[in-house]
Structures are given as C-alpha cells and as structure tokens.
Amino acid sequence: MKMHCHLGFIFFLVFGLSACRQEARYLEEAQNHFEEGEELRASCNTNAAAEAFSKALMAIDRCDAEQPETKRLKAQIEDNLGAIYWIHGL
C-alpha cells in the first residue's frame, strides 16, 4: 500500500510540475504577442496589431484565469483589442 501511495505522489508531482511549466509557456506566449501588438499599434499597423492581440488572447485563455498576472494581462489585451475595433468602427 505504501509503495502505491508513493507512486501516486510521484505521478502527481511530475504531471503537476509539467502543467505549471506549460502554463508559464502560455503566459510567456501571450506576453510576447501582446508586446508585438503594442509595437504594431504604435506604428499604426492596426490590422497586424489586432492579429497579434488575438493570438495573445488565445494564449492567455489557456492560463489559470484566477491568477492576478493572468487577469492583468488579459485586461490589457482586451483593452488594446477593443481600442483597435473602435478605431475601425467594429
């Protein structure tokens, strides 16, 4: 019984850490697309910026929505995407 419990813990630990690393990658991907979108928006390339913000939104939606950093970045992405839609009358 003890061996089974230890194996269960090891399994949980390995896959739990893997999930954390994957979420960190999604957050980093979202941040990179967001920064790309900001640069494109600043250079008045709003169509490409909207695409970058959309990619950022798809990546951030894979993250834990309850984390403060996720909430902050998602709000920034949506704010910028909304501003672009407003500029284009959408």
Side-chain angles (χ1 to χ4, degrees):
M1 178 75 171
K2 261 189 173 180
M3 182 65 160
H4 180 69
C5 290
H6 290 300
L7 289 175
F9 176 74
I10 291 169
F11 179 80
F12 174 76
L13 184 62
V14 168
F15 284 100
L17 291 174
S18 176
C20 289
R21 279 181 282 180
Q22 188 66 24
E23 184 159 336
R25 281 189 219 125
Y26 290 139
L27 189 59
E28 182 180 0
E29 179 184 342
Q31 183 68 43
N32 290 339
H33 286 302
F34 172 71
E35 290 170 3
E36 176 188 6
E38 283 190 314
E39 290 172 13
L40 290 164
R41 185 173 173 208
S43 67
C44 297
N45 191 346
T46 56
N47 289 330
E51 186 176 329
F53 289 134
S54 294
K55 288 178 182 177
L57 197 55
M58 286 189 291
I60 200 77
D61 282 341
R62 296 178 186 153
C63 298
D64 180 2
E66 296 304 313
Q67 294 298 319
E69 187 173 348
T70 302
K71 287 180 180 182
R72 177 197 56 78
L73 182 55
K74 185 170 183 174
Q76 289 178 310
I77 294 165
E78 290 174 338
D79 183 51
N80 278 276
L81 193 54
I84 289 173
Y85 284 175
W86 181 80
I87 289 169
H88 288 279
L90 302 173

